[in-house]
Amino acid sequence: HNGSKNLRDIFPEPPFDEDVPDCDSLGVLGALPGMIGSMMALQALKIIIDLPVGVNQMTLVDTMKWRFQTIDF
C-alpha cells in the first residue's frame, strides 16, 4: 500500500538462520494457515474495493489464548 512500511523498518537486520524456528521442527496446527490466509484475503479485498485499511500496523495472533493485538509502527 502506498506509504506503508515493511518488517525491515522494525527489524533492520535479519536473524541468523539457526535462530529461526521452522514448521518442520515445531509443527503448525493445520487450521492456522487457513485462518491467517483468510484474514489476509479480507485485507486484500478491502484494498481492491477501496475500503479503509490500517497502514503501518502489524497484527499479532495468539491462538493459544485467542488474543489479537495490533501494533502501530
Coordinates of all heavy atoms in Angstrom, one line a residue:
H1 N 0.9 -1.2 0.0 CA 0.0 0.0 0.0 C 0.9 1.2 0.0 O 2.0 1.2 0.6 CB -0.9 -0.1 1.2 CG -2.2 0.7 1.1 ND1 -2.9 0.7 -0.1 CD2 -2.9 1.5 1.9 CE1 -4.0 1.5 0.1 NE2 -4.0 1.9 1.4
N2 N 0.5 2.3 -0.7 CA 1.3 3.5 -0.8 C 1.6 4.0 0.6 O 0.8 4.2 1.4 CB 0.6 4.6 -1.6 CG 0.4 4.2 -3.0 OD1 1.2 3.3 -3.5 ND2 -0.5 4.8 -3.7
G3 N 2.9 4.3 0.8 CA 3.4 4.9 2.1 C 3.5 3.9 3.2 O 3.8 4.4 4.3
S4 N 3.3 2.7 3.0 CA 3.4 1.7 4.1 C 4.8 1.3 4.3 O 5.7 1.4 3.4 CB 2.5 0.5 3.8 OG 2.9 -0.2 2.7
K5 N 5.1 0.8 5.5 CA 6.4 0.4 5.9 C 6.5 -1.2 5.7 O 5.5 -1.8 5.4 CB 6.7 0.8 7.3 CG 6.7 2.3 7.5 CD 7.0 2.6 9.0 CE 7.0 4.1 9.2 NZ 7.2 4.5 10.6
N6 N 7.6 -1.7 6.0 CA 7.7 -3.2 6.0 C 8.5 -3.7 7.2 O 8.9 -2.9 8.0 CB 8.4 -3.7 4.7 CG 9.8 -3.1 4.5 OD1 10.7 -3.3 5.4 ND2 10.1 -2.4 3.4
L7 N 8.7 -5.0 7.4 CA 9.3 -5.5 8.6 C 10.7 -5.0 8.8 O 11.2 -5.0 9.9 CB 9.2 -7.0 8.6 CG 7.9 -7.6 9.0 CD1 7.9 -9.1 8.9 CD2 7.5 -7.2 10.4
R8 N 11.4 -4.7 7.7 CA 12.8 -4.2 7.8 C 12.8 -2.9 8.6 O 13.9 -2.5 9.1 CB 13.5 -4.1 6.5 CG 13.9 -5.4 5.9 CD 15.1 -6.0 6.6 NE 15.3 -7.4 6.3 CZ 15.1 -8.4 7.2 NH1 14.8 -8.2 8.4 NH2 15.2 -9.6 6.8
D9 N 11.7 -2.2 8.6 CA 11.7 -0.9 9.4 C 11.7 -1.2 10.9 O 12.1 -0.4 11.7 CB 10.4 -0.1 9.0 CG 10.5 0.4 7.6 OD1 11.6 0.9 7.2 OD2 9.5 0.3 6.8
I10 N 11.1 -2.4 11.2 CA 11.1 -2.8 12.7 C 12.4 -3.6 13.0 O 13.0 -3.4 14.0 CB 9.9 -3.6 13.0 CG1 8.6 -2.9 12.7 CG2 9.9 -4.1 14.4 CD1 7.3 -3.7 12.8
F11 N 12.7 -4.5 12.1 CA 13.9 -5.4 12.3 C 14.9 -5.2 11.2 O 14.8 -5.9 10.2 CB 13.4 -6.8 12.4 CG 12.4 -7.1 13.4 CD1 11.1 -7.4 13.0 CD2 12.7 -7.2 14.7 CE1 10.1 -7.6 13.9 CE2 11.7 -7.4 15.7 CZ 10.4 -7.6 15.2
P12 N 15.8 -4.2 11.3 CA 16.7 -3.9 10.2 C 17.6 -5.0 9.8 O 18.0 -5.1 8.7 CB 17.4 -2.6 10.7 CG 17.0 -2.4 12.1 CD 15.9 -3.3 12.4
E13 N 18.0 -5.8 10.8 CA 18.9 -6.9 10.5 C 18.2 -8.3 10.6 O 17.5 -8.5 11.5 CB 20.1 -7.0 11.5 CG 20.9 -5.7 11.5 CD 21.7 -5.6 10.1 OE1 22.1 -6.6 9.6 OE2 21.8 -4.5 9.7
P14 N 18.3 -9.1 9.5 CA 17.6 -10.4 9.6 C 18.3 -11.3 10.6 O 19.5 -11.2 10.9 CB 17.8 -11.0 8.2 CG 19.0 -10.3 7.6 CD 19.0 -8.9 8.3
P15 N 17.5 -12.2 11.2 CA 18.1 -13.1 12.2 C 19.0 -14.2 11.6 O 18.9 -14.4 10.3 CB 16.9 -13.8 12.9 CG 15.8 -13.7 11.8 CD 16.1 -12.4 11.1
F16 N 19.8 -14.8 12.3 CA 20.6 -15.9 11.8 C 19.7 -17.1 11.6 O 18.7 -17.3 12.3 CB 21.7 -16.3 12.8 CG 22.7 -15.2 13.0 CD1 22.8 -14.6 14.2 CD2 23.6 -14.9 12.0 CE1 23.7 -13.6 14.5 CE2 24.6 -13.9 12.2 CZ 24.6 -13.2 13.4
D17 N 20.0 -17.9 10.5 CA 19.1 -19.0 10.2 C 18.9 -19.9 11.3 O 17.8 -20.5 11.5 CB 19.7 -19.8 9.0 CG 19.6 -19.0 7.7 OD1 18.8 -18.1 7.6 OD2 20.3 -19.4 6.7
E18 N 19.9 -20.2 12.1 CA 19.8 -21.2 13.2 C 18.9 -20.6 14.4 O 18.4 -21.4 15.2 CB 21.2 -21.6 13.8 CG 22.0 -20.5 14.3 CD 22.9 -19.8 13.3 OE1 22.8 -20.1 12.1 OE2 23.7 -19.0 13.7
D19 N 18.6 -19.3 14.4 CA 17.8 -18.7 15.4 C 16.3 -18.7 15.0 O 15.5 -18.3 15.8 CB 18.2 -17.3 15.7 CG 19.6 -17.3 16.4 OD1 20.0 -18.3 17.0 OD2 20.3 -16.2 16.2
V20 N 16.0 -19.1 13.8 CA 14.6 -19.0 13.3 C 14.0 -20.4 13.3 O 14.4 -21.3 12.7 CB 14.6 -18.5 11.8 CG1 13.1 -18.4 11.3 CG2 15.2 -17.1 11.8
P21 N 12.9 -20.6 14.2 CA 12.3 -21.9 14.2 C 11.5 -22.1 12.9 O 11.1 -21.2 12.2 CB 11.3 -21.7 15.4 CG 11.1 -20.3 15.6 CD 12.3 -19.6 15.1
D22 N 11.3 -23.4 12.6 CA 10.6 -23.7 11.4 C 9.4 -24.7 11.7 O 9.4 -25.3 12.7 CB 11.5 -24.2 10.3 CG 12.2 -25.5 10.7 OD1 11.7 -26.2 11.5 OD2 13.3 -25.7 10.1
C23 N 8.5 -24.7 10.8 CA 7.3 -25.6 10.9 C 7.7 -27.1 10.9 O 7.0 -27.9 11.5 CB 6.3 -25.3 9.9 SG 5.6 -23.6 10.0
D24 N 8.8 -27.4 10.2 CA 9.2 -28.8 10.1 C 9.6 -29.4 11.5 O 9.3 -30.5 11.8 CB 10.4 -29.0 9.2 CG 10.0 -28.8 7.7 OD1 8.8 -29.0 7.4 OD2 10.9 -28.5 6.9
S25 N 10.3 -28.5 12.3 CA 10.7 -29.0 13.6 C 9.7 -28.7 14.7 O 9.6 -29.5 15.7 CB 12.1 -28.4 14.0 OG 12.0 -27.0 14.0
L26 N 8.9 -27.7 14.6 CA 8.0 -27.3 15.7 C 6.6 -27.7 15.3 O 5.7 -27.7 16.2 CB 8.1 -25.8 16.0 CG 9.4 -25.3 16.5 CD1 9.4 -23.8 16.7 CD2 9.8 -26.0 17.8
G27 N 6.3 -27.8 14.1 CA 4.9 -28.1 13.6 C 4.0 -26.8 13.6 O 4.4 -25.8 14.1
V28 N 2.9 -27.0 13.0 CA 1.9 -25.9 12.9 C 0.5 -26.5 12.9 O 0.3 -27.6 12.2 CB 2.1 -25.0 11.7 CG1 2.0 -25.7 10.4 CG2 1.3 -23.8 11.7
L29 N -0.4 -26.0 13.6 CA -1.8 -26.5 13.6 C -2.4 -26.3 12.2 O -2.3 -25.1 11.7 CB -2.6 -25.9 14.7 CG -2.2 -26.2 16.1 CD1 -3.0 -25.4 17.1 CD2 -2.4 -27.6 16.4
G30 N -3.0 -27.3 11.6 CA -3.5 -27.2 10.3 C -4.4 -26.0 10.0 O -4.4 -25.5 8.9
A31 N -5.2 -25.6 10.9 CA -6.2 -24.6 10.7 C -5.6 -23.2 10.7 O -6.1 -22.3 10.1 CB -7.3 -24.6 11.8
L32 N -4.4 -23.0 11.3 CA -3.8 -21.7 11.4 C -3.5 -21.1 10.1 O -3.8 -19.9 9.8 CB -2.5 -21.8 12.3 CG -1.8 -20.5 12.5 CD1 -2.7 -19.5 13.2 CD2 -0.5 -20.7 13.3
P33 N -2.8 -21.8 9.1 CA -2.6 -21.1 7.8 C -3.8 -20.7 7.1 O -3.9 -19.6 6.5 CB -1.8 -22.1 7.0 CG -1.2 -23.1 8.0 CD -2.2 -23.1 9.2
G34 N -4.9 -21.4 7.2 CA -6.2 -21.1 6.6 C -6.8 -19.8 7.3 O -7.3 -19.0 6.6
M35 N -6.7 -19.8 8.6 CA -7.2 -18.6 9.3 C -6.5 -17.3 9.0 O -7.1 -16.3 8.6 CB -7.1 -18.9 10.8 CG -7.7 -17.8 11.7 SD -7.5 -18.2 13.4 CE -6.0 -17.3 13.8
I36 N -5.1 -17.4 9.0 CA -4.3 -16.2 8.7 C -4.5 -15.8 7.2 O -4.6 -14.7 6.8 CB -2.8 -16.4 9.0 CG1 -2.7 -16.7 10.5 CG2 -2.0 -15.3 8.6 CD1 -3.2 -15.6 11.4
G37 N -4.6 -16.9 6.3 CA -4.8 -16.6 4.9 C -6.1 -15.9 4.7 O -6.2 -15.0 3.8
S38 N -7.2 -16.3 5.4 CA -8.5 -15.6 5.2 C -8.4 -14.2 5.7 O -9.0 -13.3 5.1 CB -9.5 -16.4 6.0 OG -9.8 -17.7 5.5
M39 N -7.7 -13.9 6.8 CA -7.5 -12.6 7.3 C -6.8 -11.7 6.2 O -7.2 -10.6 6.0 CB -6.8 -12.6 8.6 CG -7.6 -13.2 9.7 SD -6.6 -13.4 11.2 CE -6.3 -11.7 11.7
M40 N -5.8 -12.3 5.6 CA -5.0 -11.6 4.6 C -5.8 -11.3 3.4 O -5.8 -10.2 2.7 CB -3.7 -12.3 4.3 CG -2.7 -12.4 5.4 SD -1.3 -13.4 5.1 CE -0.5 -12.4 3.9
A41 N -6.6 -12.3 3.0 CA -7.5 -12.2 1.8 C -8.5 -11.0 2.0 O -8.8 -10.3 1.1 CB -8.2 -13.5 1.5
L42 N -9.1 -11.0 3.2 CA -10.0 -9.9 3.5 C -9.4 -8.5 3.4 O -9.9 -7.6 2.8 CB -10.6 -10.1 4.9 CG -11.6 -9.0 5.4 CD1 -12.8 -9.0 4.5 CD2 -12.0 -9.3 6.8
Q43 N -8.1 -8.4 3.9 CA -7.4 -7.1 3.8 C -7.2 -6.8 2.3 O -7.3 -5.6 1.9 CB -6.1 -7.2 4.5 CG -6.2 -7.2 6.0 CD -6.9 -6.0 6.6 OE1 -8.1 -5.9 6.8 NE2 -6.1 -5.0 6.8
A44 N -6.8 -7.8 1.5 CA -6.6 -7.5 0.1 C -7.9 -7.1 -0.6 O -7.9 -6.2 -1.4 CB -6.1 -8.8 -0.6
L45 N -9.0 -7.7 -0.3 CA -10.3 -7.3 -0.8 C -10.6 -5.9 -0.4 O -11.2 -5.1 -1.3 CB -11.4 -8.3 -0.4 CG -11.3 -9.7 -1.1 CD1 -12.4 -10.6 -0.5 CD2 -11.5 -9.6 -2.6
K46 N -10.4 -5.5 0.8 CA -10.6 -4.2 1.2 C -9.8 -3.1 0.4 O -10.3 -2.1 0.1 CB -10.4 -4.0 2.7 CG -11.4 -4.7 3.6 CD -11.0 -4.9 5.0 CE -10.8 -3.6 5.8 NZ -10.4 -3.8 7.2
I47 N -8.6 -3.5 0.1 CA -7.8 -2.6 -0.7 C -8.3 -2.5 -2.1 O -8.4 -1.4 -2.7 CB -6.3 -3.1 -0.7 CG1 -5.7 -2.9 0.7 CG2 -5.5 -2.3 -1.8 CD1 -4.3 -3.6 0.8
I48 N -8.7 -3.6 -2.7 CA -9.2 -3.7 -4.1 C -10.5 -2.8 -4.2 O -10.7 -2.1 -5.2 CB -9.5 -5.1 -4.5 CG1 -8.1 -5.8 -4.7 CG2 -10.3 -5.2 -5.8 CD1 -8.3 -7.3 -4.8
I49 N -11.4 -2.9 -3.2 CA -12.7 -2.2 -3.3 C -12.6 -0.8 -2.6 O -13.6 -0.2 -2.4 CB -13.9 -3.0 -2.9 CG1 -13.7 -3.4 -1.4 CG2 -14.0 -4.2 -3.7 CD1 -15.0 -4.1 -0.8
D50 N -11.4 -0.4 -2.3 CA -11.1 0.9 -1.7 C -11.8 1.2 -0.4 O -12.3 2.3 -0.2 CB -11.5 2.0 -2.8 CG -10.7 3.3 -2.6 OD1 -9.6 3.2 -2.1 OD2 -11.3 4.3 -2.9
L51 N -11.8 0.2 0.5 CA -12.3 0.4 1.8 C -11.1 0.8 2.7 O -9.9 0.4 2.3 CB -13.0 -0.8 2.4 CG -14.3 -1.2 1.8 CD1 -14.8 -2.5 2.4 CD2 -15.3 -0.1 2.1
P52 N -11.3 1.4 3.8 CA -10.1 1.8 4.6 C -9.4 0.6 5.2 O -10.1 -0.4 5.6 CB -10.7 2.7 5.7 CG -12.2 2.5 5.7 CD -12.5 1.9 4.3
V53 N -8.1 0.6 5.2 CA -7.3 -0.4 5.9 C -6.3 0.2 6.8 O -5.9 1.4 6.5 CB -6.6 -1.4 4.9 CG1 -7.6 -2.2 4.1 CG2 -5.7 -0.6 4.0
G54 N -5.9 -0.5 7.8 CA -4.8 0.1 8.7 C -3.5 0.0 7.9 O -3.1 -0.9 7.3
V55 N -2.7 1.1 8.0 CA -1.4 1.2 7.4 C -0.4 1.3 8.5 O -0.6 1.9 9.5 CB -1.4 2.5 6.5 CG1 0.0 2.6 5.8 CG2 -2.4 2.4 5.4
N56 N 0.7 0.6 8.2 CA 1.8 0.6 9.2 C 1.4 0.0 10.5 O 1.6 0.5 11.6 CB 2.5 2.0 9.4 CG 3.0 2.5 8.1 OD1 3.5 1.8 7.3 ND2 2.9 3.8 7.9
Q57 N 0.7 -1.1 10.4 CA 0.2 -1.9 11.6 C 0.6 -3.3 11.4 O 0.6 -3.8 10.2 CB -1.3 -1.8 11.7 CG -1.8 -0.4 12.1 CD -3.3 -0.4 12.2 OE1 -4.0 -1.2 11.5 NE2 -3.8 0.4 13.1
M58 N 0.8 -4.0 12.5 CA 1.1 -5.4 12.4 C 0.2 -6.1 13.4 O 0.0 -5.6 14.6 CB 2.6 -5.7 12.8 CG 2.9 -7.2 12.8 SD 4.7 -7.5 13.0 CE 5.1 -6.6 14.5
T59 N -0.5 -7.2 13.0 CA -1.4 -7.9 13.9 C -0.7 -9.1 14.5 O -0.2 -10.0 13.7 CB -2.7 -8.2 13.2 OG1 -3.3 -7.0 12.8 CG2 -3.7 -9.0 14.2
L60 N -0.7 -9.3 15.8 CA -0.1 -10.5 16.4 C -1.3 -11.3 16.8 O -2.3 -10.9 17.4 CB 0.7 -10.1 17.6 CG 1.8 -9.1 17.4 CD1 2.5 -8.7 18.7 CD2 2.8 -9.6 16.4
V61 N -1.2 -12.6 16.5 CA -2.3 -13.6 16.8 C -1.8 -14.6 17.8 O -0.8 -15.3 17.5 CB -2.8 -14.2 15.5 CG1 -3.9 -15.2 15.8 CG2 -3.2 -13.2 14.5
D62 N -2.4 -14.7 19.0 CA -2.0 -15.7 20.0 C -3.2 -16.7 20.0 O -4.2 -16.4 20.6 CB -1.9 -15.0 21.3 CG -1.6 -16.0 22.4 OD1 -1.7 -17.2 22.2 OD2 -1.2 -15.5 23.6
T63 N -3.0 -17.8 19.3 CA -4.2 -18.7 19.1 C -4.3 -19.6 20.4 O -5.4 -20.2 20.6 CB -4.0 -19.6 17.9 OG1 -2.7 -20.3 18.0 CG2 -4.0 -18.8 16.6
M64 N -3.3 -19.6 21.2 CA -3.5 -20.4 22.5 C -4.5 -19.7 23.4 O -5.3 -20.3 24.1 CB -2.1 -20.6 23.2 CG -1.2 -21.5 22.4 SD -1.8 -23.2 22.3 CE -1.4 -23.7 23.9
K65 N -4.4 -18.4 23.5 CA -5.3 -17.6 24.4 C -6.4 -16.9 23.6 O -7.2 -16.1 24.2 CB -4.4 -16.6 25.2 CG -3.4 -17.3 26.1 CD -2.6 -16.3 26.9 CE -1.6 -17.0 27.7 NZ -0.7 -16.1 28.4
W66 N -6.4 -17.0 22.3 CA -7.3 -16.4 21.4 C -7.3 -14.9 21.6 O -8.4 -14.3 21.8 CB -8.7 -17.0 21.6 CG -9.5 -16.8 20.3 CD1 -10.6 -16.1 20.2 CD2 -9.3 -17.4 19.0 NE1 -11.1 -16.1 18.9 CE2 -10.3 -16.9 18.1 CE3 -8.3 -18.3 18.5 CZ2 -10.3 -17.3 16.8 CZ3 -8.4 -18.6 17.2 CH2 -9.4 -18.1 16.3
R67 N -6.1 -14.3 21.4 CA -6.0 -12.9 21.6 C -5.4 -12.3 20.3 O -4.5 -12.9 19.7 CB -5.1 -12.5 22.7 CG -5.7 -12.9 24.1 CD -4.8 -12.5 25.2 NE -5.3 -12.9 26.4 CZ -4.7 -13.0 27.5 NH1 -3.4 -12.7 27.6 NH2 -5.2 -13.5 28.6
F68 N -5.9 -11.2 19.9 CA -5.4 -10.5 18.7 C -4.9 -9.1 19.2 O -5.6 -8.4 19.9 CB -6.5 -10.3 17.7 CG -7.0 -11.6 17.1 CD1 -7.9 -12.3 17.8 CD2 -6.6 -12.0 15.9 CE1 -8.3 -13.5 17.3 CE2 -7.0 -13.2 15.4 CZ -7.9 -14.0 16.1
Q69 N -3.7 -8.7 18.8 CA -3.1 -7.4 19.2 C -2.6 -6.7 17.9 O -1.9 -7.3 17.1 CB -2.0 -7.6 20.2 CG -1.4 -6.3 20.7 CD -0.2 -6.6 21.7 OE1 0.2 -7.8 21.9 NE2 0.3 -5.6 22.3
T70 N -2.9 -5.5 17.8 CA -2.5 -4.7 16.6 C -1.4 -3.7 17.1 O -1.7 -3.0 18.1 CB -3.6 -4.0 15.9 OG1 -4.5 -4.9 15.5 CG2 -3.1 -3.2 14.7
I71 N -0.3 -3.7 16.5 CA 0.8 -2.8 16.9 C 1.0 -1.8 15.7 O 1.1 -2.2 14.6 CB 2.1 -3.6 17.1 CG1 1.9 -4.5 18.3 CG2 3.3 -2.6 17.3 CD1 3.1 -5.5 18.4
D72 N 1.0 -0.5 16.1 CA 1.3 0.6 15.1 C 2.8 0.8 15.0 O 3.5 0.7 16.1 CB 0.7 1.9 15.5 CG -0.8 1.8 15.4 OD1 -1.4 1.3 14.5 OD2 -1.5 2.3 16.4
F73 N 3.4 0.9 13.8 CA 4.8 1.2 13.7 C 5.1 2.2 12.6 O 4.2 2.5 11.8 CB 5.7 -0.1 13.6 CG 5.4 -0.8 12.3 CD1 6.3 -0.6 11.2 CD2 4.4 -1.7 12.1 CE1 6.1 -1.4 10.0 CE2 4.2 -2.4 11.0 CZ 5.0 -2.2 9.9

